[in-house]
Amino acid sequence: MSRKKISWSQLSPRAKAAIVATAAVDAGLRAWALADLAGRDDAAVRGPKKLWGLGLGVVNSAGVLPAAYLLLGRATRMA
């Protein structure tokens, strides 16, 4: 069972808007999370700081990974 690929031009305006909005939210959350991570000490991050940075920089997760870092990955508030 194979799925037929749909080109960008075949998408509805609503589908195109949803894709663009999701990408914008992901980019904003990713930038916020990476900036926050860069300003934190290793002790203020739950888990390996380098692994968070790698994941946030490489993985495309539609905003899920940056949200997970912002909600769960920060051990303490910044001073």
Side-chain angles (χ1 to χ4, degrees), residues 6-17 19:
I6 298 174
S7 68
W8 182 260
S9 62
Q10 293 174 314
L11 292 173
S12 69
R14 176 180 265 172
K16 289 178 184 179
I19 291 168

Side-chain angles (χ1 to χ4, degrees), residues 16-42:
K16 289 178 184 179
I19 291 168
V20 170
T22 301
V25 168
D26 179 58
L29 284 173
R30 186 180 309 269
W32 178 18
L34 283 168
D36 183 87
L37 183 65
R40 286 187 182 270
D41 292 331
D42 289 351

